[in-house]
Amino acid sequence: MNKETTCVQGGWKPSKGEARVLPIYQSTTFKYDTSDQMGRLFDLEDSGYFYTRLQNPTNDFVAQKICELEGGVAAMLTSSGQAANFYAVFNICEAGDHMIISSALYGGTFNLLTATTAKMGIETTVVDPDISAEDLQKEIRTNTKLILAESISNPSLVVLDFDKFVSVAHANGIPVIVDNTFPTPINCRPFEYGVDIVTHSTTKYMDGHAVAVGGAIVDSGNFDWMAHADKFPGLCTPDETYHGITYAEKFGKGAFITKATAQLMRDLGSIQSPQNAFLLNIGLETLHLRMKQHCDNALKVATWLKNNDKIAWVNYPGLEGDKYYERARKYMPNGTCGVVTFGLKGGRDASIRFMDQLKMIAIVTHVADARSCVLHPASHTHRQMSDEQLLAAGVQPDLIRFSIGIENADDIIADLEQALNH
């Protein structure tokens, strides 16, 4: 099916007499007739449901829809995008391992993968996403287990050069993880460019209405773990907590998600609630419609901002002349996202004063939903970073992150204009 149809019809496939709309399986527990039936589930010999912390039908059908949209083989939902990125990394890395991440990551993800994972004995090297392939190769170590970046970075709007990162990673037998939250699979499918694992904060465009926090991990099924078995003992050696199962041998292309579910979700429990998964599914049904409107509005607003003499600079990958315009056309020919960044003449203080004068456009700690909103990353989401880290992440002190909604573009521009003229 085309992506538009998958948004509406993917995942839940009711049969005779079943609910047409995906039900909320609001139950922690699932019944079986015999002890042996339950035991086979705990041994991973049968598939099924026994406790929602591990799996739930509502969640699984929504995960399957996201999996179909991305073109993967298996997926799982998590309680948040942060949990999705942590699980994706921790499913591969353990104490003594090393990973490489892009400097242009969302501030919370950057903190997670530099400070928190360091306390777990995992070392991280931070690289500029525009690093050359030759210099990236120099950062690879014998214990490097993955490279992680965002398809469009939040908030610096760097469009990832998939070919460069994938070619270097695969030449060294390591997978690439890409957070695809901003473009969504409507505008970018990283698996088509060789990426191995995709993560999402489903809280953003996928939900689209700012009502349900959540995350997702999707596996392409293309990375051959057993071909590099010495690098990935967690997937390629027996797990004694499951009677010696070797995930890559027993589950093949489903190994990564099976391990993340059976091991990490079992032990850490960052499950998405079935109620939130239900709300996410409703959002997914209109994702293809909303992404087009977000992108159309963003281009109109970015063009208006670029031509306004009170604006110092504008970044939007969909805007001709932008640093990443050509790269966006290569990897995201149908559009990028609805997020624009800009700064005012007068610097940081002028940007803050401008934001305080907005009426319809709200100041919120959120991005990528139906309503237009703004945020000042240096004061809000990235405030834990030093000035040097901010600049390395592409976050200028005056940067305003403008998440453009699906309202009428003329009304969005009118609010900007009155705030600038205040």
Side-chain angles (χ1 to χ4, degrees):
M1 294 187 293
N2 290 303
K3 286 180 286 187
E4 296 85 353
T5 306
T6 300
C7 283
V8 181
Q9 299 282 358
W12 174 243
K13 303 287 194 303
S15 49
K16 183 178 179 181
E18 290 186 308
R20 183 67 187 90
V21 176
L22 173 66
I24 306 172
Y25 285 83
Q26 194 65 48
S27 178
T28 63
T29 316
F30 301 85
K31 175 188 176 293
Y32 289 86
D33 294 330
T34 69
S35 177
D36 180 65
Q37 290 173 345
M38 182 71 78
R40 290 181 63 80
L41 294 174
F42 275 95
D43 286 345
L44 303 182
E45 294 296 332
D46 284 347
S47 60
Y49 301 98
F50 51 94
Y51 197 58
T52 281
R53 174 160 50 84
L54 284 134
Q55 286 180 290
N56 175 281
T58 305
N59 292 28
D60 282 0
F61 284 117
V62 179
Q64 179 57 32
K65 177 179 284 190
I66 295 171
C67 186
E68 291 172 18
L69 285 169
E70 284 287 8
V73 299
M76 66 186 293
L77 300 186
T78 61
S79 58
S80 66
Q82 283 286 85
N85 281 323
F86 174 64
Y87 276 28
V89 166
F90 200 51
N91 206 35
I92 298 171
C93 290
E94 55 188 51
D97 286 342
H98 171 254
M99 62 179 162
I100 297 172
I101 66 169
S102 164
S103 61
L105 290 179
Y106 161 64
T109 308
F110 185 90
N111 193 63
L112 167 68
L113 300 181
T114 54
T116 302
T117 52
K119 297 174 183 177
M120 306 171 73
I122 301 169
E123 191 175 356
T124 302
T125 295
V126 180
V127 300
D128 187 312
D130 289 329
I131 189 173
S132 69
E134 293 75 19
D135 286 340
L136 180 59
Q137 176 61 47
K138 293 175 185 176
E139 302 295 344
I140 302 287
R141 307 177 188 173
T142 55
N143 63 337
T144 303
K145 299 301 174 70
L146 62 90
I147 298 176
L148 183 144
E150 294 173 346
S151 50
I152 299 178
S153 62
N154 175 14
S156 55
L157 302 181
V158 175
V159 176
L160 187 69
D161 187 343
F162 291 100
D163 290 347
K164 176 180 63 185
F165 279 87
V166 167
S167 63
V168 172
H170 288 179
N172 291 274
I174 58 176
V176 176
I177 301 173
V178 166
D179 184 326
N180 197 35
T181 295
F182 267 16
T184 81
I186 299 302
N187 287 338
C188 180
R189 301 218 301 179
F191 295 156
E192 294 177 355
Y193 305 110
V195 169
D196 303 290
I197 296 152
V198 159
T199 61
H200 286 278
S201 171
T202 63
T203 316
K204 308 307 189 296
Y205 287 122
M206 284 188 167
D207 162 39
H209 301 85
V211 294
V213 174
I217 308 171
V218 188
D219 182 20
S220 69
N222 293 329
F223 193 83
D224 188 346
W225 304 104
M226 291 303 295
H228 312 282
D230 58 322
K231 280 183 175 289
F232 306 106
L235 284 148
C236 301
T237 59
D239 180 358
E240 297 308 324
T241 69
Y242 273 111
H243 313 291
I245 284 174
T246 298
Y247 294 101
E249 288 182 349
K250 186 173 180 63
F251 299 103
K253 288 181 178 295
F256 186 85
I257 295 297
T258 300
K259 178 179 180 291
T261 302
Q263 201 180 76
L264 300 188
M265 194 64 80
R266 175 197 65 189
D267 294 344
L268 300 173
S270 302
I271 189 72
Q272 187 169 147
S273 76
Q275 177 73 49
N276 279 9
F278 175 81
L279 294 170
L280 168 59
N281 190 56
I282 292 174
L284 287 168
E285 290 179 351
T286 60
L287 180 62
H288 58 297
L289 301 174
R290 290 184 286 105
M291 287 307 295
K292 184 179 186 306
Q293 182 74 1
H294 282 296
C295 292
D296 288 350
N297 279 356
L299 183 57
K300 291 176 184 176
V301 170
T303 301
W304 184 86
L305 287 168
K306 186 177 181 180
N307 293 326
N308 190 291
D309 60 8
K310 295 181 180 180
I311 302 299
W313 57 270
V314 181
N315 287 338
Y316 181 59
L319 185 64
E320 192 168 357
D322 185 87
K323 179 179 179 181
Y324 297 103
Y325 178 74
E326 292 302 329
R327 191 180 295 173
R329 283 176 58 84
K330 175 180 178 180
Y331 295 118
M332 305 162 196
N334 296 319
T336 55
C337 64
V339 180
V340 172
T341 60
F342 65 98
L344 272 67
K345 293 176 181 176
R348 180 173 183 156
D349 291 342
S351 293
I352 293 172
R353 287 196 302 272
F354 159 78
M355 288 170 54
D356 289 345
Q357 300 305 320
L358 293 166
K359 295 179 179 179
M360 180 186 76
I361 301 163
I363 301 172
V364 300
T365 309
H366 198 240
V367 67
D369 71 56
R371 303 162 193 83
S372 291
C373 58
V374 292
L375 179 134
H376 184 243
S379 300
H380 305 142
T381 54
H382 289 60
R383 67 181 298 126
Q384 78 276 11
M385 289 185 174
S386 66
D387 287 347
E388 292 77 14
Q389 288 174 324
L390 283 170
L391 292 173
V395 181
Q396 300 95 315
D398 63 341
L399 184 150
I400 294 172
R401 185 184 71 183
F402 186 13
S403 178
I404 297 166
I406 58 173
E407 306 94 347
N408 186 288
D410 291 340
D411 293 327
I412 298 171
I413 291 170
D415 196 21
L416 295 173
E417 189 166 29
Q418 68 80 25
L420 284 171
N421 294 333
H422 196 279

